Amino acid sequence: MSVAPEVHQLSIGPLTAAAFSPDRSQLATCANNNDVLIYNKTQDGWDLSATLSEHDKLITAISWAPRTNRIVTCSQDRNAYVWTREPSGEWKPALVLLRINRAATCVKWSPNEDKFAVGSGARTIAVCSFDEENNWWVSKHLKKPLRSTVLSIDWHPNNVLIAAGSADAKARVFSAFIKGIDAKPQPSAWGEKLPFNTVCGEFNSPNGGWVHDVAFSPSGDALAFASHDASITVVYPAGPGEPPAAIQTIRSISLPYVSLSFLTETSLVAAGHDCQPVLFQGGADGWVMTKSLDDPNATKSLTPQATGAARAEGSVGRLNTVAFNRFKQADTRGQSSSSSSGGSGGGLSGAPGQTATGELKTVHQNTITHVDAYEWKNDGAVGKIFTIGKDGRLAVWNV
Amino acid sequence: MDGAFRKINIDLLEEDVLLPSDLYDPDPRGVEGVLADAKNRSGEVRGLVSKGDIASALNVILTDCPYGEDVDEAKDITTSALLLILNSTRSTDISNLVKGLSGDHQDRLMAYLYKGMANLGEKSEISGSVLLSWHEKLTEVAGVGCIVRVMTDRRIV
């Protein structure tokens, strides 16, 4: 039985990116601007401990390496920085030579933490590695056959393959093999010989929606992606040069998911514009939605009560504000008070219901921007996940 | 401050321009094949509708719909046949018909409903109230996700 989620209101505006420290005692996030905020966990919430200011524009993604304890951030200013913690406790930035001419959109450390990849609006993925000789981070570009902005990336557990979701409505799997860093990878279902920029797979979203997020399963033998046509596709490759063994598509009745993450080999969680994390289960013979962790139509005892730094009601990140409803009432019915019938009660399938004050009945009051694993059980399955949203909230859920 | 520079289409200055038709796979049947197929299906639909078999008629017309460029005639034929089905269905039957469709067919049907609404008043066979009642029932079954899929789909019907 799942318990109520832990909810923290970290900002009044959107949270664009977030990553936890290896021991989960610290959180790096971005409150829709060019600063990275580092929070320390306290008894009753999160306290701001440091601000990393080096970027000039909005920070689009943060990745925190679990073993080497380094943070990499990327931004719309076309730069990425690797932050290392000094013995004094300060974070020291190192500029990465990305050589891209459009915004950087996503970043992720590789499993071995000796490389990371940055997706960008320049139809490019910059695969970055450390150059010992010159003491800086250099990048190698994956370009072909990307036709549009790269919106998401994920690493295969073998540290060589990389998946990318792009605005040209395709998810692709590439080799990001770097000589001198990677050992020759074991042959997998994705391919045997893997020189840099080998395209190991190219998959269309079912109805032409741009691909918001991609994720490899824990074994790396399946690839899932969420696209803006309100669907999730899971691909099982058969072998090099062969068509996939299975492509399973789930059409959602609700709004598109923008982020997804595998929990086990046969289950995943997705979240996005319908403001609630949803669980899916399946395998090569089919996937189904199992439940929502935050069903607005279910009778439940958990209340969307934010803890931590309390903020005023009706913040800018809200999808439906009290004021909005008041004007709507005045406009459509000539009523000047919103007290009579504020709640529309989730009549339309897929749209979260509202309470009388204009709040959504879900914990998140606006689009969830990122969902990821927070804690693992002893058997390796994900036990807790966290979500951040455009409402400035961070929530930790039991799955 | 002068904002004219924002209107410059910078993609035109690039050699590697992305065209709308690059974003979907072309129909393997070719222009001629699509037209012949549309004519066949349209005839089949008229037969099924006169027998009152609306469910089969819907399945026939929503399979392999014409999309993309240069197939306007096939698109017109298919749209007319579909409108015929919509107009000859009793409103009490719509709910069950919609539930019987596959996910792909539901998305296609929604695309035609929006096409009908976009062309309201141009053809006498388009009735706004019929389209709206189909739209209502289809949204109840397939949800807002179905509408989003129509909006994102580059394979315009």
Side-chain angles (χ1 to χ4, degrees), chain A residues 102 123 147-148 167-170 204 206-210 228-231 251-256 348-351, chain B residues 10-11 14 16-19 22-23 25 103-104 107-108 139-146 148-149 152-155:
Chain A
R102 296 280 193 285
R123 304 172 177 182
R147 297 306 313 271
S148 189
D168 57 10
K170 283 188 171 73
N204 281 320
N207 286 63
W210 53 96
H228 198 75
D229 46 15
S231 70
R251 286 160 203 271
S252 161
I253 60 162
S254 63
L255 294 173
L348 197 61
S349 42
Chain B
I10 52 168
D11 286 334
E14 206 166 333
D16 191 22
V17 182
L18 186 66
L19 298 169
D22 293 339
L23 290 170
D25 295 329
D104 191 41
D107 295 349
R108 293 275 120 182
T139 312
E140 274 171 18
V141 175
V144 287
C146 182
V148 180
R149 280 190 282 279
T152 56
D153 208 331
R154 303 273 177 170
R155 295 169 298 175

Side-chain angles (χ1 to χ4, degrees), chain A residues 162-247:
Chain A
I162 191 170
S166 158
D168 57 10
K170 283 188 171 73
R172 298 181 177 88
V173 177
F174 295 99
S175 164
F177 181 86
I178 303 267
K179 230 165 122 184
I181 289 183
D182 289 307
K184 197 169 173 289
Q186 293 291 317
S188 71
W190 295 103
E192 280 155 11
K193 281 193 177 161
L194 300 166
F196 188 77
N197 210 158
T198 309
V199 181
C200 304
E202 192 175 57
F203 312 103
N204 281 320
S205 67
N207 286 63
W210 53 96
V211 179
H212 281 294
D213 202 10
V214 286
F216 277 111
S217 70
S219 71
D221 289 341
L223 174 77
F225 59 93
S227 46
H228 198 75
D229 46 15
S231 70
I232 291 176
T233 308
V234 189
V235 183
Y236 293 86
E242 288 175 47
I247 297 183

Side-chain angles (χ1 to χ4, degrees), chain B residues 38-58:
Chain B
K39 281 179 178 160
N40 282 340
R41 286 178 195 277
S42 169
E44 206 179 324
V45 163
R46 273 163 224 282
L48 288 166
V49 169
S50 62
K51 278 190 254 168
D53 191 355
I54 302 287
S56 306
L58 265 181

Side-chain angles (χ1 to χ4, degrees), chain A residues 25-79:
Chain A
S25 67
Q26 288 186 303
L27 166 73
T29 189
C30 166
N32 209 26
N33 57 20
N34 55 347
D35 287 331
V36 179
L37 307 172
I38 307 274
Y39 286 91
N40 280 345
K41 197 178 175 104
T42 60
Q43 283 271 301
D44 50 349
W46 293 91
D47 276 352
L48 186 62
S49 72
T51 303
L52 314 185
S53 317
E54 203 67 40
H55 285 291
D56 295 333
K57 287 198 160 61
L58 181 79
I59 289 157
T60 48
I62 304 171
S63 180
W64 199 323
R67 273 172 290 142
T68 48
N69 198 31
R70 287 182 296 201
I71 300 175
V72 57
T73 58
C74 72
S75 152
Q76 291 176 353
D77 65 7
R78 300 171 288 137
N79 284 327

